[in-house]
Amino acid sequence: MRTTTAFITASAAVAVAAIVSAASVNGGVPWRRTSAVQDTGSLAGEAGLAVWRTGDSVTVGWLTDGAVPGRLAVFTNGRSIFNTTTPADTAHRATFRADAGDVLRLVHGGSDAATAFETVIRPDPGDRKPRTEWPAPDSLIVISDIHGEYDRMAAVLRNAGVLDSQMQWVGGSKQLVIVGDVFDRGAQTVRTLWFLYALEQQAETAGGRMHLVLGNHELMVMLGDLRYLSTVDSTVARLHGTTFDHMYHPSESVIGRWLVGKPGILRIGDLLFAHGGVSTDYVQWGLDAFGDTLFAYTHEELFNRWTDSTYVAPMDSATFARRWDFLSGSRSVFWYRGYARSDTLEAQLDSILDRFGARTHVVGHTPHPTITQSYGGRLVDVNTVPFAAEALLLVRRGDSWDRFRIRESGPPEPLEPTGS
């Protein structure tokens, strides 16, 4: 029988005990959020919310449970700037003006205050390149391939001690990394995205951090590849009278603008994160070169109009092919499965780790029954099936990390040692 305590060092034991304790503590009273109060089957609140923001024009689409009058109230700096009611329906929409630098508090739902939900929209991020390198914290929680499985993700992160029972950040200075693929497959994609959008600010305010690394499904949806949409996602878009990709338009929607400000490769201390994995096609790139290229590609007109049949890109076929390979090729960092499907690429993996100044590569994308490590621990795969059923806990011990698996309940379990 495998002993799950033999690999726990003294420092890691303290961190694990703190996580187990924090997971059972109910934090203070949070501001009302869809994520904390909404039934799974409802499309009201953030489960069906869409917000587009272009310049000083903001359009909000929201859903209600049944055909009832809707209400939208908007506040900024403690004052009301917009208030409207809409005719009885299940889908509602309103447009108003607001400065791009304003923080907006949206109160949306039915005309009855009991059916109202609140969402805070941060200022437009502008064309700000994402930071791709961070110092190592004392501990990291890593989860990947959520795929709309909000409830399972929530249970795991509560058990990891970074969320309380009201889905508020209680992780303090801890850091959370999402290694891509929030979209598609599951029924609660929309709700999960708004939750992570808010959680990022909560974590930063508390001295922690939530990092989102782009996966192939984020790019697929923004590029109009909707073949993996759940029925619920399709229904939400249909009720709003639009397509699901337009809900996440990379330059017009709030969440789309947020997503294209995220990295495709992230290094935290000596840990290198990428959704699929960094293949040797990128061994000469480095963090800055890759980040600059990703930012450029996702902010140019072609990316914004990928599905527009009337748009003719001002580039030759070779230039277009470079973008296609970078974003969607089988060896791109968003799609690569080489390390996860082979145990013979040690030299290639080591060359990538050396180039990017890392000792361990953490990836998602390729599903496994449980979190696994290979190549002597230099590769950790965190995509599990069922999706989001486990998180990886990394506790820093000197110049190394103690590694644990966290499930929906129960104490953290040390990862099994691996051979080289």
Side-chain angles (χ1 to χ4, degrees):
M1 178 180 295
R2 179 172 57 86
T3 302
T4 60
T5 58
F7 308 103
I8 302 180
T9 65
S11 62
V14 172
V16 170
I19 285 173
V20 173
S21 174
S24 64
V25 174
N26 188 0
V29 177
W31 48 278
R32 181 177 173 90
R33 285 188 51 75
T34 307
S35 307
V37 300
Q38 183 179 310
D39 292 335
T40 299
S42 173
L43 294 181
E46 288 176 354
L49 181 65
V51 184
W52 297 271
R53 188 172 190 169
T54 304
D56 64 354
S57 177
V58 182
T59 297
V60 180
W62 72 101
L63 304 178
T64 50
D65 294 324
V68 299
R71 176 175 177 260
L72 173 68
V74 183
F75 304 86
T76 185
N77 298 320
R79 61 185 177 87
S80 173
I81 63 169
F82 184 75
N83 197 323
T84 191
T85 58
T86 54
D89 204 337
T90 56
H92 308 267
R93 180 177 291 217
T95 298
F96 59 93
R97 299 288 179 181
D99 187 87
D102 286 342
V103 175
L104 305 176
R105 182 166 66 90
L106 311 180
V107 179
H108 49 96
S111 56
D112 182 352
T115 64
F117 299 87
E118 180 176 303
T119 300
V120 174
I121 305 297
R122 300 195 292 275
D124 189 290
D127 292 334
R128 186 173 63 230
K129 294 180 182 179
R131 182 173 170 179
T132 58
E133 184 177 359
W134 297 82
D138 291 334
S139 62
L140 273 168
I141 293 93
V142 185
I143 193 167
S144 178
D145 294 81
I146 297 168
H147 283 303
E149 296 292 345
Y150 175 88
D151 293 328
R152 195 177 296 125
M153 170 207 68
V156 170
L157 295 184
R158 284 195 299 264
N159 195 38
V162 295
L163 299 178
D164 66 11
S165 62
Q166 295 297 308
M167 299 299 290
Q168 305 297 295
W169 178 268
V170 290
S173 62
K174 294 183 177 68
Q175 296 196 22
L176 170 66
V177 182
I178 315 292
V179 195
D181 279 10
V182 179
F183 280 92
D184 290 338
R185 304 187 189 278
Q188 300 184 74
T189 295
V190 181
R191 184 185 188 189
T192 304
L193 285 162
W194 283 113
F195 165 72
L196 294 176
Y197 175 80
L199 190 69
E200 179 182 63
Q201 186 63 56
Q202 290 181 28
E204 185 173 348
T205 300
R209 183 71 55 177
M210 190 214 78
H211 306 273
L212 175 60
V213 179
L214 293 177
N216 61 305
H217 281 263
E218 279 72 56
L219 295 177
M220 288 169 69
V221 168
M222 286 190 286
L223 292 173
D225 185 344
L226 307 180
R227 64 187 129 148
Y228 294 104
L229 283 190
S230 70
T231 301
V232 172
D233 289 344
S234 298
T235 299
V236 169
R238 177 179 56 79
L239 289 171
H240 282 306
T242 189
T243 58
F244 195 73
D245 55 309
H246 185 249
M247 288 177 58
Y248 301 100
H249 191 281
S251 66
E252 297 176 4
S253 74
V254 165
I255 296 294
R257 291 276 284 172
W258 178 64
L259 288 171
V260 295
K262 300 304 175 191
I265 303 176
L266 176 70
R267 191 181 77 203
I268 301 178
D270 61 359
L271 303 167
L272 184 69
F273 297 89
H275 178 66
V278 185
S279 73
T280 51
D281 286 17
Y282 300 93
V283 72
Q284 299 301 324
W285 285 59
L287 283 171
D288 289 340
F290 185 91
D292 289 349
T293 301
L294 175 62
F295 189 85
Y297 285 178
T298 56
H299 284 76
E300 63 185 6
E301 189 71 7
L302 173 62
F303 193 83
N304 284 298
R305 301 179 63 178
W306 198 271
T307 60
D308 183 352
S309 60
T310 67
Y311 177 68
V312 179
M315 60 185 67
D316 58 33
S317 59
T319 303
F320 176 83
R322 281 196 296 273
R323 285 151 175 76
W324 175 261
D325 289 342
F326 183 91
L327 298 170
S328 302
S330 62
R331 292 181 62 81
S332 78
V333 304
F334 310 103
W335 287 89
Y336 188 59
R337 298 187 191 271
Y339 305 129
R341 287 184 168 174
S342 172
D343 60 1
T344 64
L345 300 179
E346 184 173 3
Q348 292 93 318
L349 176 60
D350 286 347
S351 70
I352 290 296
L353 293 174
D354 288 345
R355 171 60 179 165
F356 284 85
R359 298 172 64 185
T360 303
H361 197 2
V362 183
V363 301
H365 190 48
T366 302
H368 300 274
T370 187
I371 291 174
T372 62
Q373 51 183 342
S374 55
Y375 295 97
R378 296 192 295 282
L379 185 81
V380 183
D381 300 314
V382 294
N383 179 15
T384 63
V385 175
F387 294 120
E390 296 179 0
L392 172 69
L393 166 65
L394 298 167
V395 180
R396 189 151 56 100
R397 179 169 58 91
D399 61 353
S400 64
W401 299 90
D402 290 316
R403 306 172 180 195
F404 304 88
R405 175 187 297 109
I406 297 178
R407 304 183 194 272
E408 294 178 66
S409 61
E413 305 169 3
L415 289 188
E416 299 83 355
T418 64
S420 60

